[in-house]
Amino acid sequence: MNRLRLLIGCVSIFVSVIASAQGRYSLRLMDEGNMVFFYPCKLASLQKGRSLVYDMNYITGRDSVVVNMTFSAPCSDVETVKLMAGDSLYETTDFTVFYREREKKNIASRIHILCPKDIYEAFFRSDKPLVVEVTTKSCSVSRFSYKPSSWKKERAIVHEAIELAK
Amino acid sequence: MKKILSLLAVAAAFTVTSCTTVAPLTATSNQVGSKCGVATETRILGFYPLAGDHGINKAAKEGGIKKISHVDVETFGVFPFYTKTTTQVYGE
């Protein structure tokens, strides 16, 4: 019985390790250059009951990076989206909402922003993790970020992907 | 020692059985787009999730895509425990 438990435990750990090793981005060729699509990543929420999953689309021939995020919270009247890491900051009220949907007790809003490429690349040069802040009219400010260990890994992957794409 | 070796052998077997494949699903006559949207469904031990959606519509909504150029499906699995299916939609 103990052996069986140990085996099940080892298999579970192994599956989660392998699952986490799956590719983080994909590369495509386009007329405007190379497109690197970073698969959705869930950030840790600093408030209970809210979540943020975001993905990025980096095209070498363009001067901005597409950042799409699914923001799940009790309210959906988003006013401002802010991205910051270290000394770099990008704040915008110029965003598009693709859709809003009821998700259990929350409302999921799919937000689209364009982040200038130089600022975006500066985020991933910073030692401090990226923080995404979403301000809504009805609810308090929602903050999401990477865990320090995940940030180190994510930074390295994004750097590698961008260098390979150029 | 025997226990450790047998566990290592099992672990190695699962490593070998895990894989990722990307297959084409469909392509249209629309121009190849610069937008990408994905939708994912995860299954454990082959059981369907309570609320899974990796359809083309879901993926297109995620990317804000209104004209689809092509769709790929990526499957990642650790047989027989874990399968992750991702639909990737490209378009404008």
Side-chain angles (χ1 to χ4, degrees), chain B residues 3-89:
Chain B
K3 234 191 241 180
I4 294 168
L5 284 173
S6 57
L7 284 171
L8 281 173
V10 168
F14 285 127
T15 311
V16 167
T17 56
S18 72
C19 66
T20 303
T21 60
V22 183
L25 188 67
T26 190
T28 71
S29 55
N30 292 326
Q31 194 175 0
V32 175
S34 61
K35 293 183 182 177
C36 179
V38 299
T40 301
E41 183 183 88
T42 304
R43 287 185 208 173
I44 296 173
L45 294 173
F47 291 111
Y48 284 87
L50 289 171
D53 184 356
H54 68 108
I56 292 174
N57 184 44
K58 167 81 174 172
K61 265 167 50 182
E62 293 295 299
I65 295 166
K66 293 174 185 171
K67 277 190 183 170
I68 296 171
S69 62
H70 61 287
V71 182
D72 287 338
V73 176
E74 180 177 318
T75 307
F76 170 78
V78 182
F79 180 79
F81 301 102
Y82 175 90
T83 309
K84 184 174 164 184
T85 309
T86 304
T87 303
Q88 302 165 355
V89 172

Side-chain angles (χ1 to χ4, degrees), chain A residues 87-149:
Chain A
D87 296 328
S88 303
L89 167 72
Y90 179 65
E91 186 172 358
T92 182
T93 53
D94 181 20
F95 56 85
T96 309
V97 177
F98 288 155
Y99 66 82
R100 291 186 180 91
E101 273 179 357
R102 171 62 63 179
E103 195 180 77
K104 293 179 188 173
K105 289 182 183 173
N106 284 348
I107 298 171
S109 306
R110 185 72 175 161
I111 301 166
H112 162 87
I113 65 168
L114 288 172
C115 178
K117 194 179 265 179
D118 52 348
I119 299 177
Y120 171 87
E121 289 178 0
F123 288 151
F124 292 92
R125 286 195 293 267
S126 168
D127 290 328
K128 293 188 182 167
L130 178 70
V131 175
V132 179
E133 202 175 273
V134 180
T135 308
T136 54
K137 284 181 197 163
S138 318
C139 305
S140 58
V141 174
S142 306
R143 281 192 193 87
F144 309 89
S145 185
Y146 286 87
K147 293 176 191 169
S149 54

Side-chain angles (χ1 to χ4, degrees), chain A residues 71-90:
Chain A
F71 168 64
S72 180
C75 48
S76 61
D77 46 358
V78 177
E79 280 187 316
T80 315
V81 177
K82 200 191 281 186
L83 283 77
M84 48 202 168
D87 296 328
S88 303
L89 167 72
Y90 179 65

Side-chain angles (χ1 to χ4, degrees), chain A residues 32-87:
Chain A
E32 289 172 273
N34 293 336
M35 179 177 96
V36 184
F37 177 72
F38 295 93
Y39 292 112
C41 170
K42 186 169 184 175
L43 299 184
S45 171
L46 302 173
Q47 289 85 24
K48 264 191 179 178
R50 299 177 197 193
S51 72
L52 190 101
V53 179
Y54 86 111
D55 54 73
M56 303 174 282
N57 202 350
Y58 179 104
I59 301 172
T60 54
R62 292 191 181 173
D63 57 8
S64 60
V65 176
V66 171
V67 181
N68 290 331
M69 55 189 87
T70 304
F71 168 64
S72 180
C75 48
S76 61
D77 46 358
V78 177
E79 280 187 316
T80 315
V81 177
K82 200 191 281 186
L83 283 77
M84 48 202 168
D87 296 328

